[in-house]
Amino acid sequence: MSKAQASRAGGRLRIGVLASGRGSNLQAIIDAIEAGTLRAKIEVVISNKGEAPALERARKHGLTDVYLDPRPYATRSDNKEESRQAYDRAILDVLRKHDVELVALAGYMRIVTPVLIQAYPHRILNIHPSLLPAFPGLEVQKKALDWGVKVSGCTVHFVTEGVDDGPIIMQAAVSVLEGDTPDTLAARILEQEHKIYPRAIQLYAEGRLRVEGRRVIVTGASETGAGAIVAPG
Ligand code: GRF
């Protein structure tokens, strides 16, 4: 049995959270752990922004927080990919130092390079505020409203080398209402994010996620409804 499996079987999944901002998804993960619905332990919270409220939330809960300034990793040649990779090597050092098994991106506003993805294959999760594959990238609620979609939502997926492109683990839907603005829609979606992200991590912790091509098979999902959650409203 590998160390990761042993840890999943006996103890708590060791997770590292990468966050750049407000940190409400980090908070949802912390709350689920404290409530006992998520059997995991946050070993470290890392941010590329020194002022990120996410770091403050981590400290408040006695978690290890690390601010890693990307600026010193910018190469002289101004090669963005090289700089990103150099930065990700530093992130990787921190994750390894804390023996992290699963990485959760929670509002992490940087492109993750192959350096991290290859070190943590199918062991990095992200939460995105749309029903992927619709509306990857930024300003997604505005895009959803501009398209006139009637349903939007959020997606937890594995991180691969394409942006917001990896195999989908769990989604929740919300109705788009007359008069919605990007902010009101974002707020309604965020409520669902806070529900599905800890649940998806718990499925991983239970060893119930299997990736087959683009698809994620959730063991036991048919009996428990643990896969996609549809929550229009
Ligand atoms: C969330 O909407 C998440 O889906 C997106 O960035 C936002 C982060 O919010 N990736 P928070 O920092 O978790 O409050």
Side-chain angles (χ1 to χ4, degrees), residues 103-114:
V103 180
L105 308 186
Y108 183 58
M109 301 302 286
R110 284 182 67 88
I111 291 172
V112 174
T113 71

Side-chain angles (χ1 to χ4, degrees), residues 38-70:
L38 172 55
R39 282 194 55 78
K41 185 163 181 289
I42 298 176
E43 295 298 332
V44 62
V45 176
I46 308 173
S47 184
N48 59 319
K49 299 277 182 196
E51 302 305 312
L55 291 177
E56 183 55 39
R57 290 184 197 260
R59 287 192 287 273
K60 237 172 134 178
H61 289 265
L63 302 173
T64 303
D65 66 297
V66 174
Y67 162 48
L68 207 53
D69 183 355

Side-chain angles (χ1 to χ4, degrees), residues 155-210:
T155 303
V156 180
H157 64 94
F158 283 110
V159 173
T160 53
E161 289 181 23
V163 174
D164 300 326
D165 192 44
I168 290 170
I169 300 167
M170 196 178 277
Q171 295 186 302
V174 304
S175 300
V176 176
L177 305 178
E178 278 300 320
D180 255 338
T181 65
D183 285 349
T184 59
L185 180 56
R188 207 165 329 106
I189 291 172
L190 196 62
E191 276 179 38
Q192 299 302 320
E193 294 184 34
H194 297 162
K195 291 181 189 165
I196 68 170
Y197 209 5
R199 287 188 204 182
I201 297 171
Q202 176 61 21
L203 289 179
Y204 183 94
E206 292 171 12
R208 290 173 59 191
L209 303 179
R210 194 174 77 244

Side-chain angles (χ1 to χ4, degrees), residues 73 75 77-89 110-115 161:
Y73 299 91
T75 56
S77 60
D78 206 24
N79 181 325
K80 280 208 169 71
E81 183 57 21
E82 263 179 30
S83 308
R84 284 195 191 112
Q85 293 196 9
Y87 183 74
D88 276 2
R89 275 191 282 278
R110 284 182 67 88
I111 291 172
V112 174
T113 71
V115 168
E161 289 181 23

